[in-house]
């Protein structure tokens, strides 16, 4: 099928990004074009440099196709698109790509400005340039040759770029007005078209909303921070530009609040907090924990745990750098290092937060994995969860608890050590040679190697110390339930084995086996025809005693015949004498 379309008596190439000319005038799907281009050329992974290169290449192709050359290879001659040129929507696309190129360069510089602050000036310059291109696009779209939808989209796009400039300049009121204008236009466009087109406009509104909330917070709205946290929760487990923007705005908000925080109290000791990174982290700790508790699903909870752990590691690293400086100062002043300093105690507190977060995260993962283990396996070819995975999770938990007991400054805190030891007993009851190893043996039918008794022993030890602990009581109940289940399974195991030979039913009446053929069309009840069987034959009697019996003589009773000689013998033979 041809990819060109005929418009106004000439052939105009159909672009892949849905720019078109309508019956009411020239049309350009501005938001659809930039979103498709961004997703296909780097912004899915936050690669603004790649997207900027794409915009430059597309500008070159458009100028070459339209014959809109700006000088030659030796000299640049600036040319601007005018209203009189608007016979083709690609002239509008040319201005749009110029704005996108400047915007993407500004976003690239914003990423680099985290380590090179001087690039912020270049960033503002490129953002202003993008806003000017946006204003040019809006003025061009005021022409009667352009349809109404394109005019509205151009106004919204220009308002967005203007709001970004004001946002970076920290002109919060002007930025709010620009973003609200952009939001209003997109909401009106979403209500005027079908659901498929409205989805794109609603996504744009969701992207603008965090900026509006942050501007409101800086103007003086104290509820804006809570709204940003709720928006981060509603973002779910996905990442991308939206999640990065929310995290950046929340961090900036906490940085402003951290100026009022000077100390923290833990385990009965008040510690001054002079490191800005530690202040920001501790200030947002409660919000992060609340967000984890309110997470709608396990994927969101896992992402929030990872974010909290990453922030905690960065904060601990910053405190370690300060500890090195403090150690060098002590060496120079020859001070005794017997007492734990405030900075060392702060390091212990942050390490405690990190280790305890690891424990809670792995506990959450273990509960989810345990629920999956109880579910029936539908696909035998697909590898499902195994009890060994649970054992590994509980090993990590026990290792983290062991590190907690060795934290500097808490060696003499007997209450803390007792709490950690009690927790270790609880998790040992879940892990040790006991409960989940038994589940592993259950899967491979090794009934004689079950070790549930060890799980009961650990759990009852903890229950004897703290009988009101719900986790332990639940474990004891679960262990007993599994124990009885396994005992029943062990008893029924021989009877549930399928018959592998062809033994008929009449020959195994004393043993019960599951044999589906008994209820089929050819039940194996008896063997027919039966096999030949040996039987005893009729006995033969031999009179062995007759050889040893001596009979009495009977000569006197037998009649004596006369002697006939040879002639008489011969006659007797041939019967002549009878």
């Amino acid at each position: 099928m041809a990819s060109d379309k005929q418009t106004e008596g000439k052939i105009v190439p159909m672009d892949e990004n849905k720019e078109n000319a309508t019956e009411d005038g020239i049309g350009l799907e501005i938001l659809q074009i930039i979103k498709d281009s961004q997703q296909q050329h780097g912004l899915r992974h936050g690669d603004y440099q790649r997207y900027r290169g794409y915009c430059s290449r597309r500008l070159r192709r458009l100028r070459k196709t339209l014959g809109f050359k700006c000088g030659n290879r030796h000299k640049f001659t600036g040319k601007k698109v005018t209203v009189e040129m608007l016979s083709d929507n690609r002239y509008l696309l040319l201005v749009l790509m110029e704005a996108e190129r400047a915007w993407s360069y500004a976003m690239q510089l914003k990423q680099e400005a985290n380590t090179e602050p001087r690039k912020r000036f270049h960033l503002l310059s490129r953002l202003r340039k993008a806003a000017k291109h946006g204003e040019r696009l809006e003025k061009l779209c005021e022409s009667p040759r352009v349809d109404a939808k394109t005019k509205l989209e151009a106004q919204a796009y220009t308002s967005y770029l203007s709001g970004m400039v004001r946002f970076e300049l920290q002109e919060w009121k002007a930025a709010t007005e620009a973003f609200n204008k952009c939001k209003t236009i997109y909401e009106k466009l979403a209500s005027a078209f079908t659901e498929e087109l409205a989805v794109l406009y609603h996504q744009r509104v969701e992207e603008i909303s965090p900026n509006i909330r942050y501007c409101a917070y800086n103007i003086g709205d104290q509820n804006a921070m809570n709204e940003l946290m709720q928006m981060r929760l509603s973002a779910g487990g996905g990442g991308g530009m939206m999640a990065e923007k929310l995290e950046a705005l929340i961090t900036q908000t906490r940085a402003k609040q951290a100026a009022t925080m000077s100390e923290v109290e833990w385990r009965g000791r008040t510690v001054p907090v002079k490191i800005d990174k530690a202040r920001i982290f501790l200030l947002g700790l409660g919000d992060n924990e609340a967000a984890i508790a309110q997470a709608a699903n396990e994927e969101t909870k896992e992402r929030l745990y990872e974010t909290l752990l990453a922030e905690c590691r960065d904060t601990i690293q910053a405190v370690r750098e300060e500890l090195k400086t403090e150690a060098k100062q002590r060496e120079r002043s020859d001070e005794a290092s017997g007492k734990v300093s405030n900075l060392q105690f702060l390091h212990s507190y942050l390490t405690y937060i990190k280790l305890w977060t690891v424990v809670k995260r792995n506990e959450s993962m273990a509960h989810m994995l345990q629920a999956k283990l109880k579910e029936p396996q539908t696909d035998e070819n697909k590898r499902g969860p195994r009890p060994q995975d649970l054992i590994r999770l509980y090993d990590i938990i026990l290792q983290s608890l062991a590190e907690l007991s060795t934290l500097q400054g808490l060696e003499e805190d007997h209450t803390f050590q007792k709490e950690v030891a009690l927790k270790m007993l609880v998790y040992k009851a879940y892990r040790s040679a006991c409960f989940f190893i038994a589940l592993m043996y259950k899967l491979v039918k090794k009934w004689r190697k079950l070790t549930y008794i060890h799980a009961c022993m650990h759990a009852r030890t903890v229950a004897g110390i703290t009988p009101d602990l719900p986790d332990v009581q639940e474990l004891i109940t679960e262990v007993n339930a599994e124990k009885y289940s396994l005992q029943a399974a062990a008893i029924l195991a021989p009877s549930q084995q399928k018959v592998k030979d062809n033994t008929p039913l009449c020959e195994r009446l004393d043993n019960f086996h599951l044999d589906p053929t008994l209820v089929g069309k050819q039940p194996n009840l008896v063997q027919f025809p039966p096999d030949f069987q040996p039987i005893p034959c009729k006995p033969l009697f031999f009179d062995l005693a007759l050889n040893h019996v001596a009979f009495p003589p009977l000569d006197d009773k037998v009649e004596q015949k006369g002697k006939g000689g040879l002639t008489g013998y011969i006659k007797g033979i041939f019967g002549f004498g009878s």
Side-chain angles (χ1 to χ4, degrees), residues 13-20 26-34 37 51 54-55 58-59 61-63 66 81 86 88-101 137 140-141 150 157:
M14 172 72 82
D15 190 86
E16 67 273 17
N17 288 318
K18 300 184 180 179
E19 57 266 20
N20 50 31
I26 296 174
L28 192 70
E29 300 283 350
I30 295 176
L31 186 59
Q32 183 71 51
I33 290 170
I34 62 177
S37 301
Y51 181 58
Y54 162 76
C55 293
R58 190 167 189 186
L59 275 171
R61 292 196 300 268
L62 284 170
R63 285 171 179 160
L66 295 170
V81 178
L86 295 182
D88 194 331
N89 53 12
R90 286 176 292 179
Y91 286 102
L92 295 177
L93 181 61
L94 189 68
V95 182
L96 178 62
M97 285 294 107
E98 288 179 342
E100 281 293 289
R101 180 177 62 175
L137 178 64
L140 289 173
C141 290
T150 305
Y157 182 67

Side-chain angles (χ1 to χ4, degrees), residues 235-255:
M241 295 174 59
M242 183 69 176
E244 292 177 4
K245 183 182 292 185
L246 283 170
E247 293 295 340
L249 293 177
I250 290 171
T251 303
Q252 292 177 25
T253 307
R254 287 174 182 164

Side-chain angles (χ1 to χ4, degrees), residues 129-148:
K129 188 73 172 177
K132 286 183 180 179
H133 287 307
E135 291 172 0
R136 282 178 51 208
L137 178 64
E138 184 180 0
K139 288 181 180 179
L140 289 173
C141 290
E142 291 176 356
S143 168
R145 300 182 182 183
V146 181
D147 63 6

